Amino acid sequence: MSLPRAAYDPRRVCVIPFPIVPFMRHKRAIGVYAAGALFAMAQWLFLDAAILSAHARPPPDAPYDEVPVHVTFVDWVPGICSTLGMLVVNLINRERLMGEGGGLSLGGWGEGGVVWRARLFLFLGFALMAGGLAGSVTILVLKYIIPEWPDKYEYYGVANVAQNVCIMLSAVVLWLGQNTQGEYEYRLAL
Amino acid sequence: MAAGLKTVILLSFVLAVGFLLVILSCALWANWLPLLVALTFVLAPLPNSLFRNCATDDFGAADYAEGSGPIDLGHFMTACIVVTGFALPLVLAHSGVIHPMACVMSIVGGGLVYGTILSYTAVFRADPDEF
């Protein structure tokens, strides 16, 4: 008596295996495209708020009132921080990051080692992105929610938070997309 | 070859309709900002075509699975430009610079132009592989 041959990968995690998507071969390209789209969407969300603020007029029934709040340079700072952080995270060489050191004289965890420096820069990049997100929430609360402007003006702050969330998502998607080994796994699955 | 000729005629017709829509969206309201959309969509395939050969090694074999920075940059910039093309008229219409109808017309026209470019490259890149 013999058991039927297993048709699945014995290293599987789930009882029901994930279906192999036919366009898995283009996984990397799709990830990068999605990251670019998210990044552009983030910037345009904020630019929308900025352009809306630049064209804001007082209501027609009170034409001599001043528009109470505008998008100023303070609102630009979190987005600039997030974008810089994304740049830093993606400029790091992945192989340096994964190395456990010991073999090469320069590698390893020693003071000034390559892996140590790569992880320091990775930390700096993520800190810049998280700082941008935190800064955008701070601006939303301090500049737009606490003074209780009408909803029309709170949109500026909400757009700022959405921009930073989208930039972070874009960095994550880009990271995941570039770390897949599409073609190799695909060939194995065949 | 008749099929190829028909494709070319159909694609050029769609391209003309797309440009007609974009130019109408500008001219009907005498506001020529939506013309930027046509420019954006024409520029969209540029990064990919610039970086296409960066994945090939000395033997001419494309090995994208290993990962290629320039190719990724091209894809990233393409996606950015395409999203810009769709977002620009929306943002302009939201802040009241252009008429909402002009926004719809320029988006549809830009989509037609970009679809034409995409399908043109897809149709005529497949041809050399068959021989």
Side-chain angles (χ1 to χ4, degrees), chain A:
Chain A
M1 165 183 155
S2 65
L3 289 171
R5 243 181 91 219
Y8 55 80
D9 187 358
R11 298 165 298 171
R12 66 182 187 168
V13 175
C14 303
V15 175
I16 301 168
F18 289 108
I20 294 172
V21 190
F23 51 75
M24 201 65 99
R25 204 156 53 88
H26 302 298
K27 204 161 57 174
R28 184 185 171 96
I30 289 172
V32 177
Y33 275 129
L38 270 173
F39 184 75
M41 223 185 311
Q43 304 301 345
W44 277 105
L45 266 171
F46 179 67
L47 279 179
D48 180 39
I51 295 173
L52 200 61
S53 156
H55 283 269
R57 295 274 173 276
D61 52 338
Y64 297 109
D65 286 0
E66 295 215 338
V67 179
V69 65
H70 276 292
V71 171
T72 51
F73 181 70
V74 179
D75 300 72
W76 287 78
V77 172
I80 295 173
C81 278
S82 290
T83 309
L84 275 181
M86 186 177 168
L87 207 61
V88 169
V89 165
N90 283 294
L91 281 179
I92 294 173
N93 193 344
R94 300 282 151 74
E95 288 149 17
R96 291 271 178 277
L97 215 56
M98 299 307 165
E100 280 305 316
L104 293 170
S105 59
L106 269 180
W109 271 94
E111 191 76 19
V114 175
V115 177
W116 186 83
R117 270 185 290 161
R119 291 191 193 195
L120 177 68
F121 273 97
L122 186 70
F123 175 76
L124 275 182
F126 275 114
L128 271 174
M129 276 200 290
L133 186 60
S136 71
V137 174
T138 312
I139 284 176
L140 169 66
V141 171
L142 287 186
K143 192 174 170 184
Y144 296 104
I145 288 186
I146 288 185
E148 291 185 347
W149 306 120
D151 281 348
K152 204 171 93 181
Y153 301 115
E154 272 181 21
Y155 169 72
Y156 302 161
V158 174
N160 206 333
V161 174
Q163 176 206 19
N164 286 280
V165 169
C166 278
I167 290 180
M168 221 165 186
L169 279 180
S170 164
V172 168
V173 169
L174 193 58
W175 182 273
L176 290 181
Q178 286 188 321
N179 275 354
T180 54
Q181 304 149 346
E183 188 77 27
Y184 183 61
E185 279 179 5
Y186 184 67
R187 275 191 206 134
L188 276 188
L190 281 178

Side-chain angles (χ1 to χ4, degrees), chain B residues 20-108:
Chain B
L20 175 74
L21 274 175
V22 173
I23 291 175
L24 264 187
S25 76
C26 301
L28 285 184
W29 287 274
N31 185 345
W32 291 85
L33 274 172
L35 209 58
L36 285 173
V37 175
L39 183 69
T40 313
F41 278 114
V42 167
L43 282 182
L46 192 63
N48 264 350
S49 51
L50 275 182
F51 294 125
R52 178 173 302 140
N53 289 329
C54 289
T56 55
D57 54 13
D58 293 339
F59 304 103
D63 196 9
Y64 179 53
E66 299 270 322
S68 158
I71 293 260
D72 282 349
L73 180 66
H75 288 169
F76 192 86
M77 283 168 67
T78 304
C80 278
I81 294 174
V82 171
V83 170
T84 299
F86 284 114
L88 185 65
L90 285 176
V91 167
L92 288 178
H94 189 195
S95 56
V97 179
I98 63 174
H99 197 270
M101 202 55 213
C103 159
V104 174
M105 282 170 71
S106 59
I107 284 183
V108 172

